[in-house]
Amino acid sequence: MARRKKIYEGKAKILYEGPEPGTIVQYFKDDATAFNAEKKDVIEGKGVLNNRLSEFFMTGLNTVGVPTHFLKRLNMREQLVRACEIVPLEVIVRNFAAGSLAKRLGLEEGTPLPRPIVEYCYKDDKLGDPLVTEEHIAAFGWASQQDMDDILSLSLRVNDYLSGLMYGVGIRLVDFKIEVGRVYDGDYQRLIVADEISPDSMRLWDIETGQKLDKDVFRRDLGSLTDAYTEVARRLGVMPKQATHVAKPKLIN
Ligand code: C5P
């Protein structure tokens, strides 16, 4: 049996060389990390849920004309994606104050923002992905002005699509993070949505009850992460048959 070539192993995913040039196999792990990996756990079933949810969001985006790296799902934990050159930025879009923005500006979590706010963080785990401005991005050459215009319009289109989709199933899209990558078509370069879109990288609150259905459940010890992600998948009609996550039996003393 031939061994696959591992390209990269991150906190939640492993990338392997794909079957054809220009393709990559993206494997979703069950590992959950928070606070730049200070808090860690293995959450059984998370990788399967995120693989399916990311497929669902990326396919939907492709359908409405927002280009993504997603090609096809291969199995429960793996998907085939287009290889691209990742722009070293985490692009965050916020509709309501939460998390680091709420803390930084002293806003109450849940405060509606006057308009969607787009923020950029420099992708560097050692530095804890610090917030940067367009000045830093231009000065250090992480992205060109044209890239920044494209990233802004791409991220706002993703926001419109995801907000509407979530609203339709009674979920508020508080904020999310995407990554973008460059692909080359002859003389042209295009930017596409890359990495993953899942409850690991979004804040999702039930509109009625405010219940958190995203990674904050893990970050803040609010209960079962797989139950929360399964609920999101169930409402969106993803994995309807496997929508009941059965927890492992617990030993009783
Ligand atoms: O922590 P903060 O409030 O800045 O996060 C904003 C949004 O970006 C959240 O939905 C969070 O899950 C996501 N995020 C992420 N990966 C990071 C930082 C933030 O997915 N490294």
Side-chain angles (χ1 to χ4, degrees), residues 11 90 92-94 98-101 104 119 121 129 175-177 199-203 215-216 219:
K11 287 177 283 201
E90 306 217 318
I92 294 171
V93 183
R94 302 177 183 271
S100 69
L101 177 78
R104 198 183 324 129
E119 294 177 341
C121 294
D129 304 329
D175 56 33
F176 65 93
K177 182 259 324 187
D200 266 8
S201 50
M202 295 190 245
R203 282 200 174 90
K215 203 162 118 180
D216 274 349
R219 291 188 191 102

Side-chain angles (χ1 to χ4, degrees), residues 199-236:
D200 266 8
S201 50
M202 295 190 245
R203 282 200 174 90
L204 303 170
W205 297 356
D206 181 274
I207 290 179
E208 294 285 316
T209 64
Q211 188 194 353
K212 293 183 181 15
L213 299 168
D214 55 64
K215 203 162 118 180
D216 274 349
V217 170
F218 170 72
R219 291 188 191 102
R220 304 180 189 187
D221 295 318
L222 299 175
S224 159
L225 193 71
T226 35
D227 284 356
Y229 289 18
T230 301
E231 176 61 12
V232 176
R234 191 190 64 75
R235 289 199 200 183
L236 291 167

Side-chain angles (χ1 to χ4, degrees), residues 141-193:
W142 296 324
S144 67
Q145 189 52 55
Q146 178 66 56
D147 287 341
M148 292 313 290
D149 294 347
D150 292 348
I151 289 173
L152 185 65
S153 85
L154 211 53
S155 54
L156 292 176
R157 286 165 76 198
V158 174
N159 188 38
D160 283 349
Y161 173 76
L162 290 178
S163 301
L165 189 69
M166 292 300 178
Y167 187 73
V169 295
I171 295 174
R172 171 167 297 152
L173 178 65
V174 174
D175 56 33
F176 65 93
K177 182 259 324 187
I178 55 166
E179 294 186 22
V180 295
R182 296 189 182 92
V183 287
Y184 298 93
D185 289 327
D187 287 346
Y188 294 92
Q189 173 218 282
R190 277 190 313 129
L191 288 174
I192 61 176
V193 178

Side-chain angles (χ1 to χ4, degrees), residues 2-7 16-17 25 27 74-75 78:
R3 207 180 164 86
R4 284 197 290 189
K5 187 170 172 209
K6 197 191 270 189
I7 301 173
Y16 296 100
E17 213 166 65
V25 174
Y27 175 98
L74 297 171
N75 55 48
E78 294 178 330

